[in-house]
Amino acid sequence: MELPPGLHLPVILQREDPRDAFVSHQYASIDELPPGARLGTASLRRQCQLRARRPDMDIVSLRGNVNSRLAKLDGGDFAAIMLAAAGLIRLGMGARITRLLEPDESLPAIGQGAIGIECRDGDSRVLELIAALDHAPTHICVRAERALNTRLHGGCQVPIAGFAELGHGVIVLRGLVGSLDGQRFVRGVISGRPEDAEELGTVLAEDLLARGAGAILQELTE
């Protein structure tokens, strides 16, 4: 979350679909997978939420680019895999999505589906060129999510989720910290004014930490 000195993130483009995607040839949903079915995903965030929902499944870490992951599914290595919907859509592979998971089913990752443009501090010429690409509602939501993650000291090796939505002049931010086995979760939600986006993210993180998220995160780093 911390940028190198001299750089900042002034522009965030309009968000693509932020949801997780369930991909399978045989099954229409996670609930249709039989006990012991092999499901692949690289995300610890997805893994912990899946284990809580379906502890009877064999959830396996699946790495590689999108094409190689899909190839393993097509080759029969997995009954299903999960990916970010945004990645599949941007690659022209949206038709591979079997089902989109709503945030209540699988809370997205911080900034999922959003693309940021990083540039030098004080570079007014570049900033003027890219300013028109900024999507204010997405920027506000991602600011809240990044503030949540910053306070939690989150990274790609920690099962943290955070997703903000903006509507009718109110921002609603949901956060989650889970144990890798899916046995323990700390969830929270906060809402407020869009101009307070970063403060809301920090406040929600403090609430999660106070209710046990700190202990879960400490175990993961030991």
Side-chain angles (χ1 to χ4, degrees):
M1 293 296 105
E2 293 185 9
L3 298 176
L7 297 174
H8 68 145
L9 191 64
V11 169
I12 297 178
L13 282 65
Q14 185 169 1
R15 195 172 213 160
E16 184 50 87
D17 194 316
R19 292 174 289 181
D20 286 328
F22 174 82
V23 184
S24 177
H25 294 299
Q26 299 172 271
Y27 305 99
S29 70
I30 293 171
D31 293 332
E32 287 192 11
L33 289 166
R38 201 163 187 249
L39 186 150
T41 177
S43 165
L44 298 181
R45 169 191 61 83
R46 294 190 192 108
Q47 289 178 24
C48 75
Q49 293 182 81
L50 284 166
R51 288 191 175 106
R53 179 172 175 174
R54 289 293 307 273
D56 60 318
M57 289 197 315
D58 182 17
I59 298 168
V60 181
S61 180
L62 172 62
R63 302 198 175 275
N65 60 37
V66 171
N67 284 326
S68 65
R69 296 185 201 189
L70 289 171
K72 290 178 181 178
L73 172 69
D74 296 341
D77 293 349
F78 298 92
I81 64 173
M82 281 181 62
L83 300 162
L88 289 167
I89 292 168
R90 287 183 174 129
L91 289 170
M93 298 179 179
R96 295 296 305 262
I97 298 172
T98 305
R99 187 174 182 275
L100 291 165
L101 277 69
E102 297 302 323
D104 288 341
E105 299 177 273
S106 183
L107 196 64
I110 305 293
Q112 185 158 305
I115 293 175
I117 301 179
E118 186 177 335
C119 73
R120 294 184 296 268
D121 289 334
D123 193 334
S124 57
R125 184 184 70 85
V126 170
L127 185 58
E128 184 177 351
L129 289 171
I130 65 176
L133 299 173
D134 189 56
H135 186 250
T138 299
H139 203 147
I140 290 167
C141 290
V142 172
R143 280 174 51 212
E145 294 168 17
R146 285 172 60 83
L148 169 71
N149 207 34
T150 297
R151 180 62 189 89
L152 293 175
H153 302 291
C156 59
Q157 295 303 314
V158 180
I160 292 174
F163 179 55
E165 295 178 280
L166 181 62
H168 305 290
V170 175
I171 184 171
V172 179
L173 173 64
R174 284 181 277 178
L176 173 154
V177 175
S179 61
L180 292 178
D181 60 7
Q183 296 296 308
R184 290 177 294 157
F185 284 93
V186 183
R187 306 173 188 266
V189 61
I190 194 170
S191 61
R193 303 182 305 169
E195 54 264 40
D196 297 328
E198 292 180 354
E199 181 182 352
L200 292 168
T202 302
V203 170
L204 179 56
E206 295 286 0
D207 174 60
L208 295 176
L209 291 169
R211 291 191 288 111
I216 294 174
L217 294 172
Q218 184 174 357
E219 291 173 10
L220 293 170
T221 56
E222 289 178 349

